[in-house]
Amino acid sequence: MTPARPCYLILILLAAALSTGVAEAAAARPHNQVLVEAGWSRPYGDLARDYTETQLGFGAGDALELGFRWRYNFSSTVSLSPAFHFVDYRDFKSTGEVIGDYRISASSLRYTLELMFIQGDERRSVRPFLAFSGGLYRNRVVGFNKNLTSPFDQSVNTLGFGARGGVRLAGFELSAVYNVNRFATWTFFETGQEQDYNWDSFAVRAAWIIPFSDGTAQGR
């Protein structure tokens, strides 16, 4: 072996060690993720109560929920993510003697910030998690007043909160979330006083972690 060959061998070994160290550091450092979410949501409280038989009910049915989330991982177990969700509840439909067929449409736009705690190493394919969120909920109703005398389109902004638990399966997340959505307003129905409303809901979600958004070695 000539004297030059040991030098080349040493350089190759050093380069391999350096590249391995860089890859491990890249996998360990915090990274961003973008998620697209979809789910089914069931309304509770006044949102689900019968529209014609109750003073504050809206008669809403199960909803389709769509969302978008940007997540920043402080570590492999803790992350923070701003998110947007749109919840479109199934309309209440009926017929009035004067106005004929009509419908009451309820929906909610939610701008939230979520803190997530996830268990297990990033190399595991199944990782359970627990998350808590809070933010601005914009609740909207389009339809007619209780007397069916005039149409209205009204929205109320309020603070809302959620608790979510589930599992991450490779590049997907499956979870269940309970949303606390309660507020007081004069806006929806003319009752002569400010009324307390309960728009709580329970949802089941599926999320896809967009591959190119993941800065870990797995996403590469």
Side-chain angles (χ1 to χ4, degrees):
M1 181 178 290
T2 63
R5 290 184 179 178
C7 294
Y8 292 145
L9 182 58
I10 292 173
L11 289 175
I12 292 172
L13 292 175
L14 288 175
L18 180 60
S19 62
T20 301
V22 170
E24 290 177 352
R29 68 171 178 258
H31 55 276
N32 302 322
Q33 291 173 324
V34 176
L35 293 84
V36 177
E37 298 176 298
W40 159 89
S41 181
R42 167 153 292 181
Y44 294 125
D46 300 302
L47 189 57
R49 293 192 178 98
D50 187 84
Y51 183 77
T52 58
E53 300 296 329
T54 63
Q55 184 183 34
L56 303 179
F58 293 89
D62 293 352
L64 172 66
E65 179 175 335
L66 299 175
F68 177 86
R69 181 183 306 279
W70 175 82
R71 177 179 293 150
Y72 180 79
N73 294 281
F74 293 100
S75 68
S76 62
T77 58
V78 180
S79 65
L80 191 66
S81 59
F84 167 77
H85 289 88
F86 172 63
V87 187
D88 186 18
Y89 294 100
R90 190 175 70 247
D91 296 347
F92 171 80
K93 299 177 182 179
S94 188
T95 302
E97 294 181 0
V98 177
I99 66 172
D101 294 340
Y102 69 95
R103 66 177 60 197
I104 307 299
S105 301
S107 61
S108 183
L109 297 175
R110 299 170 183 174
Y111 308 87
T112 60
L113 189 64
E114 181 184 80
L115 179 64
M116 173 188 280
F117 303 93
I118 186 167
Q119 294 183 348
D121 187 88
E122 289 187 358
R123 292 169 293 184
R124 291 178 54 184
S125 58
V126 179
R127 303 178 67 193
F129 64 82
L130 187 63
F132 304 93
S133 63
L136 177 67
Y137 289 15
R138 182 171 179 83
N139 302 316
R140 182 186 180 192
V141 179
V142 180
F144 285 82
N145 59 18
K146 289 289 186 175
N147 296 325
L148 303 181
T149 56
S150 60
F152 75 92
D153 182 346
Q154 299 290 346
S155 298
V156 173
N157 295 326
T158 185
L159 291 177
F161 304 92
R164 188 166 70 99
V167 293
R168 180 179 298 175
L169 305 171
F172 296 89
E173 291 180 0
L174 302 176
S175 63
V177 54
Y178 190 88
N179 291 293
V180 178
N181 185 1
R182 303 180 186 186
F183 54 95
T185 183
W186 297 78
T187 302
F188 288 146
F189 302 126
E190 299 177 359
T191 60
Q193 61 182 354
E194 185 178 61
Q195 295 288 348
D196 293 325
Y197 291 88
N198 178 344
W199 275 35
D200 287 7
S201 62
F202 171 81
V204 176
R205 292 179 186 164
W208 175 49
I209 303 173
I210 299 178
F212 65 77
S213 71
D214 194 338
T216 64
Q218 179 181 356
R220 297 175 183 177

